[in-house]
Short mmCIF file of all heavy atoms in Angstrom, two decimals:
data_model
loop_
_atom_site.label_atom_id
_atom_site.label_comp_id
_atom_site.label_asym_id
_atom_site.label_seq_id
_atom_site.Cartn_x
_atom_site.Cartn_y
_atom_site.Cartn_z
N GLY A 192 -56.18 53.15 -13.12
CA GLY A 192 -55.42 52.86 -14.50
C GLY A 192 -54.18 53.63 -14.51
O GLY A 192 -53.32 53.16 -15.32
N GLN A 193 -53.92 54.60 -13.73
CA GLN A 193 -52.57 55.34 -13.70
C GLN A 193 -51.60 54.48 -13.12
O GLN A 193 -50.39 54.44 -13.75
CB GLN A 193 -52.74 56.66 -12.94
CG GLN A 193 -53.68 57.70 -13.50
CD GLN A 193 -52.93 58.36 -14.88
OE1 GLN A 193 -51.78 58.62 -14.75
NE2 GLN A 193 -53.84 58.25 -15.92
N GLU A 195 -51.81 51.10 -12.98
CA GLU A 195 -51.57 50.06 -13.88
C GLU A 195 -50.68 50.48 -15.14
O GLU A 195 -49.78 49.61 -15.47
CB GLU A 195 -52.91 49.62 -14.40
CG GLU A 195 -53.79 48.80 -13.36
CD GLU A 195 -55.09 48.44 -13.92
OE1 GLU A 195 -55.38 48.59 -15.13
OE2 GLU A 195 -55.75 47.66 -13.21
N HIS A 198 -47.04 50.57 -13.85
CA HIS A 198 -46.56 49.31 -13.56
C HIS A 198 -46.19 48.55 -14.91
O HIS A 198 -45.24 47.93 -15.11
CB HIS A 198 -47.55 48.38 -12.75
CG HIS A 198 -47.51 48.77 -11.39
ND1 HIS A 198 -48.49 48.28 -10.48
CD2 HIS A 198 -46.78 49.50 -10.63
CE1 HIS A 198 -48.28 48.77 -9.17
NE2 HIS A 198 -47.16 49.60 -9.28
N MET A 202 -42.39 50.33 -13.99
CA MET A 202 -41.97 51.15 -12.94
C MET A 202 -42.30 50.39 -11.63
O MET A 202 -43.35 49.73 -11.58
CB MET A 202 -42.72 52.53 -12.97
CG MET A 202 -42.26 53.41 -13.91
SD MET A 202 -43.09 54.94 -13.48
CE MET A 202 -42.63 56.16 -14.69
N GLN A 204 -43.25 49.88 -7.37
CA GLN A 204 -44.37 50.50 -6.67
C GLN A 204 -43.91 51.91 -6.18
O GLN A 204 -44.61 52.83 -6.32
CB GLN A 204 -44.51 49.75 -5.42
CG GLN A 204 -44.82 48.27 -5.61
CD GLN A 204 -46.30 47.94 -5.58
OE1 GLN A 204 -47.13 48.84 -5.57
NE2 GLN A 204 -46.61 46.58 -5.53
N LYS A 206 -41.57 54.03 -7.36
CA LYS A 206 -41.50 55.02 -8.46
C LYS A 206 -42.85 55.41 -8.95
O LYS A 206 -43.09 56.56 -9.34
CB LYS A 206 -40.63 54.33 -9.60
CG LYS A 206 -39.81 55.42 -10.29
CD LYS A 206 -38.57 54.74 -10.98
CE LYS A 206 -37.40 55.60 -10.50
NZ LYS A 206 -36.05 54.91 -10.96
N ARG A 210 -43.64 59.21 -9.00
CA ARG A 210 -43.69 60.03 -10.26
C ARG A 210 -45.06 60.12 -10.78
O ARG A 210 -45.32 61.03 -11.61
CB ARG A 210 -42.88 59.21 -11.30
CG ARG A 210 -41.39 59.09 -10.93
CD ARG A 210 -40.70 60.46 -11.20
NE ARG A 210 -40.88 60.96 -12.50
CZ ARG A 210 -40.47 62.18 -12.86
NH1 ARG A 210 -39.78 62.93 -12.14
NH2 ARG A 210 -40.75 62.58 -14.10
N GLN A 215 -50.24 63.66 -9.10
CA GLN A 215 -51.61 63.90 -9.35
C GLN A 215 -52.49 64.05 -8.11
O GLN A 215 -53.45 64.80 -8.07
CB GLN A 215 -52.21 62.68 -10.19
CG GLN A 215 -51.54 62.55 -11.53
CD GLN A 215 -52.26 61.47 -12.24
OE1 GLN A 215 -53.36 61.44 -12.60
NE2 GLN A 215 -51.31 60.53 -12.76
N ARG A 291 -51.99 71.97 -13.89
CA ARG A 291 -51.45 71.71 -15.25
C ARG A 291 -51.87 70.44 -15.62
O ARG A 291 -51.96 69.41 -14.91
CB ARG A 291 -49.90 71.66 -15.06
CG ARG A 291 -49.08 72.80 -15.46
CD ARG A 291 -47.59 72.33 -15.37
NE ARG A 291 -47.44 71.24 -14.38
CZ ARG A 291 -46.22 70.86 -14.12
NH1 ARG A 291 -45.15 71.17 -14.91
NH2 ARG A 291 -46.18 69.91 -13.31
N GLY A 292 -52.34 70.48 -16.88
CA GLY A 292 -52.91 69.19 -17.56
C GLY A 292 -54.31 68.85 -17.29
O GLY A 292 -55.03 68.15 -18.03
N ARG A 295 -57.87 72.50 -19.86
CA ARG A 295 -57.38 72.66 -21.19
C ARG A 295 -56.52 73.96 -21.26
O ARG A 295 -55.53 73.99 -21.97
CB ARG A 295 -58.52 72.74 -22.27
CG ARG A 295 -58.87 71.34 -22.64
CD ARG A 295 -60.25 71.27 -23.21
NE ARG A 295 -60.69 69.81 -23.03
CZ ARG A 295 -61.17 69.08 -23.78
NH1 ARG A 295 -61.33 69.46 -25.03
NH2 ARG A 295 -61.46 67.79 -23.63
N ARG B 48 -54.21 40.66 -19.15
CA ARG B 48 -53.69 41.25 -17.94
C ARG B 48 -52.84 40.28 -17.11
O ARG B 48 -51.97 40.82 -16.39
CB ARG B 48 -54.73 41.97 -17.00
CG ARG B 48 -55.35 43.30 -17.68
CD ARG B 48 -56.70 43.47 -17.13
NE ARG B 48 -56.58 43.84 -15.68
CZ ARG B 48 -56.35 44.88 -15.17
NH1 ARG B 48 -56.07 46.03 -16.06
NH2 ARG B 48 -56.26 45.19 -13.93
N ASP B 82 -41.21 42.88 -6.09
CA ASP B 82 -41.77 43.97 -6.83
C ASP B 82 -40.88 44.48 -7.93
O ASP B 82 -41.17 44.54 -9.07
CB ASP B 82 -42.11 45.06 -5.80
CG ASP B 82 -42.48 46.34 -6.65
OD1 ASP B 82 -43.28 46.27 -7.45
OD2 ASP B 82 -41.84 47.46 -6.20
N ARG B 89 -41.76 43.26 -16.78
CA ARG B 89 -42.80 44.11 -17.37
C ARG B 89 -42.08 45.07 -18.45
O ARG B 89 -42.80 45.59 -19.39
CB ARG B 89 -43.59 45.02 -16.45
CG ARG B 89 -44.54 44.05 -15.76
CD ARG B 89 -45.29 44.90 -14.85
NE ARG B 89 -46.29 44.25 -13.99
CZ ARG B 89 -46.58 44.45 -12.79
NH1 ARG B 89 -45.92 45.39 -12.08
NH2 ARG B 89 -47.49 43.73 -12.20
N ASN B 100 -55.17 55.76 -20.38
CA ASN B 100 -54.27 55.93 -19.06
C ASN B 100 -52.93 56.69 -19.35
O ASN B 100 -52.03 56.31 -18.74
CB ASN B 100 -53.98 54.50 -18.53
CG ASN B 100 -55.22 53.77 -18.01
OD1 ASN B 100 -56.31 54.40 -17.96
ND2 ASN B 100 -55.12 52.58 -17.81
N LEU B 101 -53.06 57.63 -20.26
CA LEU B 101 -51.88 58.57 -20.30
C LEU B 101 -51.75 59.47 -18.77
O LEU B 101 -52.73 59.52 -18.23
CB LEU B 101 -52.04 59.65 -21.27
CG LEU B 101 -51.98 59.11 -22.85
CD1 LEU B 101 -52.16 60.18 -23.76
CD2 LEU B 101 -50.63 58.43 -22.99
N PHE B 102 -50.50 59.77 -18.70
CA PHE B 102 -50.20 60.56 -17.34
C PHE B 102 -50.66 61.98 -17.66
O PHE B 102 -50.11 62.62 -18.36
CB PHE B 102 -48.75 60.45 -16.99
CG PHE B 102 -48.20 59.11 -16.85
CD1 PHE B 102 -47.19 58.64 -17.32
CD2 PHE B 102 -49.11 58.16 -16.13
CE1 PHE B 102 -46.53 57.47 -17.18
CE2 PHE B 102 -48.67 56.81 -15.99
CZ PHE B 102 -47.39 56.46 -16.37
N PRO B 103 -51.78 62.37 -16.97
CA PRO B 103 -52.47 63.65 -17.33
C PRO B 103 -51.66 64.98 -16.91
O PRO B 103 -51.77 66.00 -17.44
CB PRO B 103 -53.78 63.70 -16.53
CG PRO B 103 -53.56 62.78 -15.42
CD PRO B 103 -52.56 61.71 -15.91
N HIS B 104 -50.59 64.65 -15.96
CA HIS B 104 -49.74 65.82 -15.60
C HIS B 104 -48.55 66.04 -16.37
O HIS B 104 -47.73 66.80 -16.04
CB HIS B 104 -49.46 65.79 -14.12
CG HIS B 104 -48.71 64.44 -13.70
ND1 HIS B 104 -49.24 63.19 -14.09
CD2 HIS B 104 -47.55 64.22 -13.21
CE1 HIS B 104 -48.49 62.29 -13.61
NE2 HIS B 104 -47.43 62.86 -13.17
N GLU B 113 -40.95 59.35 -20.19
CA GLU B 113 -40.95 59.00 -18.76
C GLU B 113 -40.31 57.58 -18.32
O GLU B 113 -39.41 57.53 -17.58
CB GLU B 113 -42.34 58.88 -18.13
CG GLU B 113 -42.59 58.70 -16.73
CD GLU B 113 -41.84 59.71 -15.71
OE1 GLU B 113 -41.47 60.75 -16.19
OE2 GLU B 113 -41.83 59.51 -14.51
N GLN B 117 -36.87 56.85 -16.33
CA GLN B 117 -37.09 56.40 -14.92
C GLN B 117 -36.77 54.98 -14.72
O GLN B 117 -36.25 54.48 -13.75
CB GLN B 117 -38.48 56.63 -14.48
CG GLN B 117 -38.91 58.11 -14.34
CD GLN B 117 -38.01 58.75 -13.26
OE1 GLN B 117 -37.77 58.17 -12.26
NE2 GLN B 117 -37.71 60.01 -13.39
N SER B 148 -55.22 66.07 -21.93
CA SER B 148 -56.68 66.69 -22.07
C SER B 148 -56.81 67.55 -23.24
O SER B 148 -57.99 67.87 -23.52
CB SER B 148 -56.92 67.47 -20.75
OG SER B 148 -55.85 68.59 -20.58
N GLN B 149 -55.76 67.86 -23.88
CA GLN B 149 -55.89 68.74 -25.18
C GLN B 149 -55.98 67.91 -26.29
O GLN B 149 -55.87 68.48 -27.42
CB GLN B 149 -54.67 69.77 -25.11
CG GLN B 149 -54.73 70.68 -23.89
CD GLN B 149 -53.41 71.36 -23.77
OE1 GLN B 149 -52.25 70.89 -23.97
NE2 GLN B 149 -53.37 72.61 -23.37
#
Side-chain angles (χ1 to χ4, degrees):
Chain A
Q193 294 290 311
E195 285 182 357
H198 283 168
M202 290 194 179
Q204 308 257 13
K206 214 151 232 177
R210 295 288 307 174
Q215 293 183 62
R291 257 184 336 174
R295 274 161 207 232
Chain B
R48 293 159 59 81
D82 174 43
R89 285 177 179 145
N100 295 346
L101 287 181
F102 304 136
H104 57 302
E113 179 68 7
Q117 293 298 325
S148 62
Q149 299 164 322

